[in-house]
C-alpha cells in the first residue's frame, strides 16, 4: 500500500521546560504550570510541514523547538507543557508554521499569560488558515482571521484537562462535518468515484502480487493518526483476503471534506492471479480516529478479466 507519509510517532507532548533560576523562579514556589493546547485547521503534511516554537519565561528564552512532519515528529493537536514556573511568571510563546521548504512561515501566532501558583492552566493557541494573509500590528497577533491581543489573563483560562484533545479543532473533523462517514473510490494519484460492481484494473506490484488502487473520501474523522483497515472477500471463491492496517494522514479536499488516495490493496494474496480475474471482490474498509470514532464502508468491485 502507498499512502501519504504518516508520522512515525504521534506528538503527545512537546516538553518546553522553563529555565530555572534564569527565569527568576525559586524552587520553593515553582508550582505553576501552563499547558499550551496547539491546534490548526490546516492539513498537516500538506498545508504545513514544520512548526517552530520559542517559549520565554519572564522574558528569558526557555526553549526553542522545531518539529517536522517529514521527520515523524509533528502531529496536531498537541500539548506544549511550560513549567514549572513561579507564581506570576510571564509565559510568552511564538509559534511559526512552515510549508515545504519555504523560508517564510505560512502563519505565525503569539500567545502569552501569567502562571498561577497551584494551577495548571490550558492556554489555547491555534494556527489558523484565515491568518495566512493577515498583517497585524507588532502589539497584536492573528487568531481566527482577526488581530487580537496575544495576552490572555489567567482568570480567563480553564484548568488543563487532557480531555480537551477529543474536541480540539481539526482540519478534517470540523463542527460541520457531521457523523463519521467514508466513501470508497479509486485512484493512485487522485480520488475518482467507484460504482458498485464496477470493473477495476489490477497491476503488478514492485515486490510481487497484484493490486488495485483504492481511495477514500472522509468526513467527521481526524486528519492525523486514524487507523485504516482494509479487507476483502471473493464470494464466488469463498475466499477471505487477509486485512491490513495502516496509520494514515488525510488531505483536505475543499467542500468534499478530506481524502486519501494511493491505497494499494493486493487481491491475489494466497491465490493465483488468474483465479481472481473477472471475479467479484467485496472490499470492506474501517477507519478509526484517535478519539475512537469509527466509519465503515463496503464496496463490490469486479477484477478486470
Amino acid at each position: 500500500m502507498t499512502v501519504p507519509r504518516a508520522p512515525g510517532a504521534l506528538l503527545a507532548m512537546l516538553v518546553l521546560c522553563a529555565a530555572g533560576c534564569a527565569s527568576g523562579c525559586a524552587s520553593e514556589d515553582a508550582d505553576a504550570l501552563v499547558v499550551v493546547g496547539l491546534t490548526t485547521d490546516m492539513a498537516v503534511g500538506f498545508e504545513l510541514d514544520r512548526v517552530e516554537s520559542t517559549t520565554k519565561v519572564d522574558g528569558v528564552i526557555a526553549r526553542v523547538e522545531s518539529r517536522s512532519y517529514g521527520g515523524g515528529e509533528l502531529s496536531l493537536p498537541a500539548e506544549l507543557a511550560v513549567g514549572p514556573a513561579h507564581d506570576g511568571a510571564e509565559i510568552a510563546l511564538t509559534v511559526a508554521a512552515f510549508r515545504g521548504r519555504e523560508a517564510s512561515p505560512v502563519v505565525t501566532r503569539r500567545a502569552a499569560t501569567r502562571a498561577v501558583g497551584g494551577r495548571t492552566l490550558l492556554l489555547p493557541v491555534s494556527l489558523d488558515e484565515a491568518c495566512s494573509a493577515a498583517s497585524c500590528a507588532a502589539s497584536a497577533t492573528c487568531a481566527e482571521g482577526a488581530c487580537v491581543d496575544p495576552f490572555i489573563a489567567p482568570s480567563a483560562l480553564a484548568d488543563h484537562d487532557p480531555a480537551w484533545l477529543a474536541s480540539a479543532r481539526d482540519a478534517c473533523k470540523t463542527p460541520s462535518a457531521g457523523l463519521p462517514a467514508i466513501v470508497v473510490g479509486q485512484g493512485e494519484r487522485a480520488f475518482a468515484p467507484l460504482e458498485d460492481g464496477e470493473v477495476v484494473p489490477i497491476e503488478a506490484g514492485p515486490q510481487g502480487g497484484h493490486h488495485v488502487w483504492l481511495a477514500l473520501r472522509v468526513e467527521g474523522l481526524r486528519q492525523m493518526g486514524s487507523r485504516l483497515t482494509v479487507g476483502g472477500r471473493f464470494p464466488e471463491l469463498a475466499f477471505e483476503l487477509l486485512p491490513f492496517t495502516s496509520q494514515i494522514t488525510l488531505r483536505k479536499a475543499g467542500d468534499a471534506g478530506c481524502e486519501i488516495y494511493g491505497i494499494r490493496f493486493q487481491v491475489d494474496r494466497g491465490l493465483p492471479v488468474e483465479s481472481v480475474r473477472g471475479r467479484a471482490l467485496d472490499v470492506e474498509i474501517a477507519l478509526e480516529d484517535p478519539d475512537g470514532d469509527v466509519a465503515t464502508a463496503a464496496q463490490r468491485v469486479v477484477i478486470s478479466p
Side-chain angles (χ1 to χ4, degrees), residues 16 74 94 102 138 254:
L16 306 180
L74 180 62
T94 300
E102 295 177 4

Side-chain angles (χ1 to χ4, degrees), residues 129-202:
E129 185 177 19
C131 291
S132 59
S135 178
C136 297
S139 59
T141 190
C142 182
E144 300 183 9
C147 294
V148 299
D149 188 339
F151 184 83
I152 303 176
S155 59
L157 297 177
D159 288 330
H160 171 253
D161 180 347
W164 78 270
L165 287 162
S167 58
R169 298 183 67 201
D170 188 85
C172 297
K173 197 172 188 176
T174 62
S176 61
L179 295 175
I182 52 179
V183 175
V184 182
Q186 60 182 324
E188 178 184 3
R189 295 182 176 88
F191 177 94
L194 182 61
E195 298 295 329
D196 195 56
E198 183 172 340
V199 175
V200 295
I202 59 174

Side-chain angles (χ1 to χ4, degrees), residues 167-263:
S167 58
R169 298 183 67 201
D170 188 85
C172 297
K173 197 172 188 176
T174 62
S176 61
L179 295 175
I182 52 179
V183 175
V184 182
Q186 60 182 324
E188 178 184 3
R189 295 182 176 88
F191 177 94
L194 182 61
E195 298 295 329
D196 195 56
E198 183 172 340
V199 175
V200 295
I202 59 174
E203 64 178 65
Q207 297 178 338
H210 296 75
H211 59 267
V212 297
W213 292 107
L214 300 175
L216 301 176
R217 282 270 166 86
V218 182
E219 291 186 356
L221 295 172
R222 288 208 172 274
Q223 191 245 334
M224 303 192 71
S226 291
R227 180 167 295 277
L228 172 68
T229 302
V230 182
R233 183 177 187 273
F234 288 103
E236 298 164 283
L237 302 175
F239 187 87
E240 298 275 351
L241 291 172
L242 290 175
F244 73 83
T245 62
S246 177
Q247 192 175 87
I248 65 169
T249 296
L250 301 170
R251 65 166 66 228
K252 289 204 292 189
D255 294 338
C258 288
E259 67 184 17
I260 182 173
Y261 45 79
I263 303 171

Side-chain angles (χ1 to χ4, degrees), residues 23 29 31-32 57-58 85-91 113-117 151 154:
S23 65
D29 64 356
D31 61 349
V57 179
D58 285 338
H86 67 87
D87 181 39
E90 183 181 39
I91 307 297
T113 191
R114 289 192 179 276
V116 176
F151 184 83

Side-chain angles (χ1 to χ4, degrees), residues 262-286:
I263 303 171
R264 191 199 310 261
F265 184 42
Q266 186 177 339
V267 299
D268 59 348
R269 188 180 300 142
L271 288 170
V273 66
E274 294 305 322
S275 69
V276 305
R277 294 189 185 277
R279 303 286 189 180
L281 171 63
D282 292 330
V283 178
E284 297 181 350
I285 294 179

